[in-house]
Every structure is written in structure tokens, then in C-alpha cells.
Amino acid sequence: MTTWLRIVMRRENNEVITCALANTGFEGLGPDILMPINVAQRLGLNLLGGTEVYAIRTASGVAPIYRFRESVSVRVLVNDRDTPIVRLIPIASESVDYVILSDKALTELGIVIIDASNGIWYFRDELGRVFRTSCTPD
């Protein structure tokens, strides 16, 4: 198992709730959130304007990614507390099937992964007091 976080993403009047992969190996340019094209569209992000296009190497070849100049609001959803809203830079790609949080996005969200293979994590301010488990991706 990997570490998954239930998050809500918002942009203007659009909202998407999903499980996102917490991936410390995704070294973004900043606090980035990588998502499938259809998720970007559900958030009202326009691929034709306001993006920088990059080519990345994937297991199946080279694929374009679209890095937006505007941010989206993101927060982690847990049952026992309110969590801060952070601004992350969306990146959209046809080569991903789910939302992935970059290493810098995890830092902004205050996430610490304790046991990656078992999906156990906590918020930085809960050190030694709380252990949380992963959500199940849809």
C-alpha cells in the first residue's frame, strides 16, 4: 500500500474531492499537485491559456504536462479537526490516472509520512500523538 490522503480541491465555484497519492519522490518546481486532464477540467482549468507546457518521460514514452500559472486551494479532509487551506500549483497530464501531491505540497500541507508501505501518516503538529491511515482511492 502507498500513502493516500483524502483532499478537497477548489477553484472559484468548482470543487473536487478525491484521494491523492502522497509522493515524496515527486520533486515539483514548487508546491505542485499533478492531476489527470479530466480533473483539471472539472476544476475549470483551461489547458489552452495560462499554462506552461513541458515534456516528461514516462514508462510509455514522452508525454506533455501542463503547468498552470494560477493556483488551486487544497486541504486535507480528516474527521477530527479542521485543516489549513493551502495554495498549490496544478499540473495536468494525460499520463496520470489519479491526483499526486509533490514533496513541497506535502510540506505545505504539514504532512509527515511515518510508514509509506502501510500508508501511515500524521500532521506535523501531531508528532507522537496521532497516527493516521490512508484513504482508499476511487
Side-chain angles (χ1 to χ4, degrees):
M1 168 179 253
T2 52
T3 304
W4 296 88
L5 307 172
R6 180 152 310 277
I7 63 167
V8 58
M9 297 178 283
R10 285 193 183 100
R11 183 181 165 274
E12 297 174 355
N13 294 324
N14 303 305
E15 177 179 284
V16 174
I17 297 174
T18 191
C19 283
L21 178 63
N23 187 342
T24 58
F26 169 20
E27 298 176 5
L29 297 175
D32 297 325
I33 183 166
L34 178 62
M35 62 190 69
I37 298 287
N38 68 322
V39 173
Q41 291 169 335
R42 286 172 42 203
L43 286 170
L45 294 165
N46 182 358
L47 294 177
L48 301 178
T51 64
E52 299 170 12
V53 181
Y54 297 91
I56 60 164
R57 186 169 310 281
T58 69
S60 58
V62 176
I65 62 168
Y66 305 89
R67 188 169 199 271
F68 293 87
R69 292 185 182 96
E70 58 187 288
S71 61
V72 294
S73 298
V74 177
R75 77 180 180 94
V76 179
L77 297 175
V78 292
N79 293 331
D80 60 341
R81 68 185 270 184
D82 287 329
T83 59
I85 297 169
V86 301
R87 305 292 293 178
L88 302 179
I89 301 299
I91 300 172
S93 174
E94 295 173 351
S95 66
V96 296
D97 296 323
Y98 40 82
V99 175
I100 307 173
L101 296 162
S102 75
D103 56 350
K104 293 171 186 70
L106 294 172
T107 296
E108 290 292 315
L109 291 164
I111 302 299
V112 178
I113 299 171
I114 286 293
D115 184 339
S117 68
N118 290 307
I120 299 172
W121 61 277
Y122 62 83
F123 289 105
R124 191 178 303 116
D125 65 354
E126 297 173 329
L127 178 60
R129 295 183 291 121
V130 176
F131 294 96
R132 299 182 182 274
T133 57
S134 291
C135 63
T136 303
D138 303 326

